[in-house]
Amino acid sequence: MEKITSTQNAKVKKWQHLTTKKGHQKYHQYLVEGWHTVGDALTAHEPVQTLIATGEQLDAHQNDLPDTIEQIEITEEIAKKLTDTVTPQGIFAVVNITAATRVAPAGADGAWLLLDRIQDPGNIGTMVRTADAAGFTGIVFGKGTSSRFNPKVIRSMQGSQFHVQLTEGDLTEWLQTFQTANKPVYGTALNKDAKNFRDVTAGNDFGLIMGNEGQGMAPELMTQTTENLYIPIKGNAESLNVAIAAGVLMFQLNQ
Amino acid sequence: MEKITSTQNAKVKKWQHLTTKKGHQKYHQYLVEGWHTVGDALTAHEPVQTLIATGEQLDAHQNDLPDTIEQIEITEEIAKKLTDTVTPQGIFAVVNITAATRVAPAGADGAWLLLDRIQDPGNIGTMVRTADAAGFTGIVFGKGTSSRFNPKVIRSMQGSQFHVQLTEGDLTEWLQTFQTANKPVYGTALNKDAKNFRDVTAGNDFGLIMGNEGQGMAPELMTQTTENLYIPIKGNAESLNVAIAAGVLMFQLNQ
């Protein structure tokens, strides 16, 4: 097995690059961290190219690491270079971004969560995890939404990215294709003229759009939805956190 | 108006201390940051002792800062010392911790959220904000739950701490008092033998206990509840984030 000890090694530099948007575009690969996510990627037969781990992590997981995948041992110091967490978990995987991860709206069955310019990686990751738990089929990352390969997004998805379908897409196109197929698409609005979410029963196939943390959904999307939903706010809070609102709505719509 | 320019000033050291648990115990005061929260504290007539702000922030909010409260001007450099955020907002308030913020369970009406050893400050803050939006009366911080005066908790509450009642308490005592008064207390469990949350309709007065992120609710509390609820998980996610679960349950119970 190859062992790398220098933080200046060209492979280390490449792996660091795989935590950035530019690196994802250049190499069509991304980096995942921690046994929870690495293990889930292997279980889900994701296209893992390389497994990277400290000696300690290699020992701990040797029985679960397939021989067919390249393994490289690194030092704790290199592990620190590959993450922005305070205590790196010492195990990483390089995963290929394949064309197969792109889903066309026309073939999309089931419940889909559409993200319109969501910024906060923690919110995005939590929504993916919740969509998984609520039985959603997939999540569409619309333009302006933080990347699904962003390390913080990956961390907070906690492996759910391997249980549901994630894809990038043009939300207008998704919305129109759904509606042509007679599948409803629900928007969300902080507006009492919208429909109370408790009065909606969705079928098996539908879309739910969540909008930007500060600005909400884009107005041009809002006018095209089947219906826009609101969650009645009783107290004095100005709004709900977008991931909380998404959770309440997903468990209401997909019963 | 007093103006402080040295980061070594004794008042600056005290304010820094007011972001720590020891400081809260010693001075019975805590520090809040940012106009959103400072403004909400003033609007709610919280016992604000001192307003601290950079020249720019003083100018921006002069009309909203009451003359009756001491104001101290600080430099940007001091503002940075008082926060762990990357871009400090430059306005702070020293707020007194009063005995009146303690609520006895016997007098507790309405819907109450009880936090059993919740660790993550962001989760706690989000739950307080959501409880406010869901029309809850108050939140009890049980033993082992991060402090409601922790700067990160304060930040993610976004002012909701001034709209609902926050108190520390012994959850066993709260549970027993509620049940003596014939008010139900619902626990939460990741267990299909528990009751499906959709089958519960709560009255106006009840308690809802959320448990530790990793371990869930303490077993000794779980045996004393009126009923334990679970949220059916459809996909392959192992669990829901505790703040998401709390959001789904609070909007179900307090319709």
Side-chain angles (χ1 to χ4, degrees):
Chain A
M1 186 187 313
E2 184 179 358
K3 184 170 175 176
I4 296 177
T5 55
S6 163
T7 58
Q8 299 307 310
N9 184 290
K11 285 187 182 169
V12 175
K13 303 229 159 174
K14 181 194 155 184
W15 297 332
Q16 285 180 297
H17 212 31
L18 295 184
T19 64
T20 69
K21 205 162 188 167
K22 282 193 179 167
H24 304 145
Q25 283 162 352
K26 181 170 176 187
Y27 296 105
H28 298 283
Q29 294 182 319
Y30 66 104
L31 194 73
V32 302
E33 181 194 356
W35 176 244
H36 188 128
T37 305
V38 172
D40 270 12
L42 292 171
T43 305
H45 302 291
E46 289 291 311
V48 174
Q49 192 215 38
T50 308
L51 293 161
I52 306 155
T54 60
E56 194 181 310
Q57 284 293 308
L58 282 173
D59 287 347
H61 301 292
Q62 199 53 62
N63 293 336
D64 300 308
L65 302 179
D67 296 335
T68 49
I69 297 174
E70 176 190 38
Q71 299 180 16
I72 299 179
E73 186 176 340
I74 56 167
T75 61
E76 301 275 351
E77 198 191 358
I78 293 173
K80 280 205 182 100
K81 288 275 175 191
L82 299 181
T83 181
D84 56 1
T85 57
V86 183
T87 46
Q89 297 194 54
I91 187 161
F92 303 84
V94 174
V95 187
N96 296 329
I97 298 173
T98 57
T101 57
R102 289 180 176 274
V103 181
D109 285 325
W112 285 78
L113 179 67
L114 315 181
L115 306 180
D116 177 28
R117 296 164 301 131
I118 310 277
Q119 298 297 306
D120 182 79
N123 281 341
I124 294 171
T126 303
M127 284 193 273
V128 170
R129 182 178 164 198
T130 308
D132 178 16
F136 273 53
T137 305
I139 295 99
V140 183
F141 284 57
K143 221 172 276 180
T145 295
S146 298
S147 166
R148 62 202 164 102
F149 304 117
N150 173 304
K152 284 184 191 161
V153 172
I154 292 176
R155 246 194 326 272
S156 46
M157 293 194 286
Q158 299 213 356
S160 282
Q161 67 268 43
F162 306 125
H163 310 149
V164 292
Q165 299 181 52
L166 303 193
T167 187
E168 285 146 33
D170 177 325
L171 298 192
T172 303
E173 194 188 318
W174 273 76
L175 207 154
Q176 286 165 355
T177 311
F178 263 57
Q179 300 218 338
T180 305
N182 268 323
K183 298 172 182 173
V185 177
Y186 302 101
T188 42
L190 250 181
N191 176 349
K192 291 189 180 169
D193 296 333
K195 195 173 175 88
N196 188 322
F197 81 104
R198 293 194 174 103
D199 297 334
V200 176
T201 37
N204 295 321
D205 302 312
F206 65 90
L208 169 66
I209 307 182
M210 299 303 303
N212 176 272
E213 286 91 344
Q215 297 157 27
M217 261 178 74
E220 65 271 22
L221 288 174
M222 198 127 36
T223 56
Q224 296 179 62
T225 51
T226 314
E227 212 139 34
N228 294 313
L229 312 180
Y230 86 98
I231 300 174
I233 294 204
K234 285 188 175 178
N236 293 305
E238 285 172 19
S239 62
L240 285 168
N241 166 285
V242 66
I244 300 287
V248 170
L249 294 173
M250 286 193 276
F251 277 93
Q252 169 72 21
L253 292 174
N254 208 37
Q255 297 201 8
Chain B
M1 186 187 312
E2 184 178 358
K3 184 171 175 175
I4 296 178
T5 55
S6 164
T7 58
Q8 300 305 310
N9 184 292
K11 285 187 183 169
V12 175
K13 303 228 159 177
K14 180 194 154 183
W15 296 332
Q16 285 181 296
H17 211 32
L18 295 184
T19 64
T20 69
K21 205 161 189 169
K22 282 192 177 169
H24 304 148
Q25 284 162 351
K26 181 170 176 188
Y27 295 105
H28 299 284
Q29 292 181 323
Y30 66 105
L31 195 71
V32 302
E33 181 194 358
W35 176 244
H36 189 129
T37 306
V38 171
D40 270 13
L42 293 170
T43 306
H45 302 290
E46 289 292 310
V48 174
Q49 191 213 39
T50 308
L51 293 161
I52 306 155
T54 59
E56 194 182 311
Q57 285 292 308
L58 283 173
D59 285 347
H61 301 292
Q62 199 53 62
N63 293 336
D64 300 307
L65 302 178
D67 296 337
T68 48
I69 298 175
E70 175 189 39
Q71 299 178 15
I72 298 180
E73 185 176 338
I74 57 168
T75 61
E76 301 274 350
E77 197 192 358
I78 293 174
K80 281 208 182 97
K81 288 273 177 195
L82 299 181
T83 180
D84 56 1
T85 57
V86 183
T87 45
Q89 297 194 53
I91 186 161
F92 303 85
V94 174
V95 187
N96 296 328
I97 298 172
T98 58
T101 57
R102 290 181 176 275
V103 182
D109 285 324
W112 284 78
L113 179 66
L114 315 180
L115 305 182
D116 176 29
R117 298 164 300 131
I118 310 276
Q119 298 297 303
D120 182 79
N123 281 341
I124 295 170
T126 303
M127 284 193 275
V128 170
R129 183 178 162 197
T130 308
D132 178 14
F136 273 55
T137 305
I139 295 98
V140 184
F141 285 57
K143 220 172 277 179
T145 295
S146 298
S147 166
R148 63 200 163 104
F149 304 118
N150 173 304
K152 284 184 191 163
V153 172
I154 292 175
R155 247 195 324 273
S156 45
M157 292 194 286
Q158 299 214 355
S160 282
Q161 66 269 44
F162 306 125
H163 310 151
V164 292
Q165 297 181 52
L166 302 193
T167 187
E168 284 147 35
D170 178 322
L171 297 193
T172 303
E173 194 187 319
W174 273 76
L175 207 154
Q176 287 165 354
T177 312
F178 262 57
Q179 301 218 335
T180 306
N182 268 325
K183 297 172 184 174
V185 177
Y186 301 101
T188 42
L190 250 180
N191 176 347
K192 291 189 180 170
D193 297 333
K195 196 176 175 92
N196 188 322
F197 81 104
R198 292 195 174 102
D199 298 335
V200 176
T201 37
N204 295 320
D205 302 313
F206 66 90
L208 169 66
I209 307 182
M210 299 304 303
N212 176 271
E213 285 92 343
Q215 298 157 26
M217 263 179 72
E220 66 269 24
L221 288 175
M222 198 130 26
T223 57
Q224 296 177 63
T225 51
T226 313
E227 212 138 31
N228 294 315
L229 311 180
Y230 86 98
I231 300 175
I233 294 204
K234 283 188 177 179
N236 293 304
E238 284 172 19
S239 63
L240 285 168
N241 165 286
V242 66
I244 299 287
V248 170
L249 294 173
M250 287 193 276
F251 276 93
Q252 168 73 21
L253 292 172
N254 209 37
Q255 299 202 5

